Amino acid sequence: MTSPASVHGDERLRLFLALRLPEAVLDTIESWQAAELGGRRLVPRAHLHGTLAFLRHRPACELEAILSALRAAAGAAGADLRLAPFRYRETRSVAMLAFEDVSGGATALAEDVQARLEALGVYRREARPWLPHVTVARFRARPGLRLEPPAMGTFVPSDAAAYLSRLHPDGAQYAVLESVGLR
């Protein structure tokens, strides 16, 4: 975890808020990636997450307010945040596992944190509805795979976190700035 105090007020930070996955889910996804997506640029285990809101580049002076919004939304989240894999999906540049929000709790959390961020003036929601998913691979050309998602059953995210994303030639490097427990 990176200390929020290690960033400076005038620095611009590439930030996102996300659900973190339990170790057993990470184990399953990592095994599935190796078996089904070998030969592609796999998202490393430490980078597997379910994005709640991607904030792009924000001034570091906004970080504390963003973290407060995450804490408040996580604290207000209902107790039922169950997710279950329901399909493999590709966009033009990524492969993802899409999840069913069994109870609606994860969607409610995403909508709450997004509304809080909008109220701060640091975020604007996408036009399409939030889709709980985990990006599992990246590619230059869509391979057109038709895969079944891994058999992992229903799970509850371990916590929510604010991430710092730094771009590198090998791909983005993520650091957790703060994690927040979910009720």
Side-chain angles (χ1 to χ4, degrees):
M1 195 163 343
T2 299
S3 168
S6 68
V7 296
H8 306 286
D10 58 348
E11 185 179 358
R12 293 198 56 86
L13 308 173
R14 189 171 187 254
L15 300 172
F16 65 92
L17 307 181
L19 295 171
R20 297 203 312 170
L21 308 175
E23 290 298 318
V25 171
L26 292 171
D27 291 343
T28 301
I29 292 174
E30 193 173 40
S31 295
W32 180 86
Q33 284 175 304
E36 300 292 341
L37 297 169
R40 290 172 180 77
R41 197 170 114 207
L42 302 181
V43 173
R45 178 188 183 99
H47 291 187
L48 296 171
H49 64 272
T51 303
L52 293 166
F54 180 62
L55 287 90
R56 304 192 187 322
H57 288 89
R58 303 301 316 165
C61 63
E62 295 176 351
L63 181 59
E64 186 51 44
I66 291 165
L67 294 174
S68 292
L70 175 63
R71 289 182 208 117
D80 196 358
L81 293 168
R82 292 175 296 137
L83 298 171
F86 81 95
R87 71 179 164 134
Y88 167 83
R89 179 172 183 246
E90 294 176 0
T91 68
R92 64 181 167 76
S93 61
V94 302
M96 65 179 74
L97 294 173
F99 294 92
E100 175 189 0
D101 184 357
V102 175
S103 61
T107 300
L109 171 60
E111 289 174 353
D112 185 19
V113 77
Q114 290 171 9
R116 290 171 192 271
L117 295 169
E118 281 181 322
L120 293 171
V122 300
Y123 180 76
R124 186 173 51 180
R125 287 183 228 216
E126 295 180 12
R128 62 181 179 229
W130 180 74
L131 173 68
H133 71 278
V134 173
T135 299
V136 293
R138 300 185 186 284
F139 34 76
R140 294 195 191 287
R142 183 186 301 201
L145 301 173
R146 303 280 183 240
L147 302 174
E148 289 298 317
M152 68 174 80
T154 301
F155 69 92
V156 175
S158 55
D159 59 355
Y163 286 83
L164 173 63
S165 173
R166 290 201 163 109
L167 298 178
H168 291 274
D170 297 344
Q173 299 298 311
Y174 303 155
V176 173
L177 296 172
E178 182 172 327
S179 64
V180 181
L182 300 168
R183 292 195 307 164

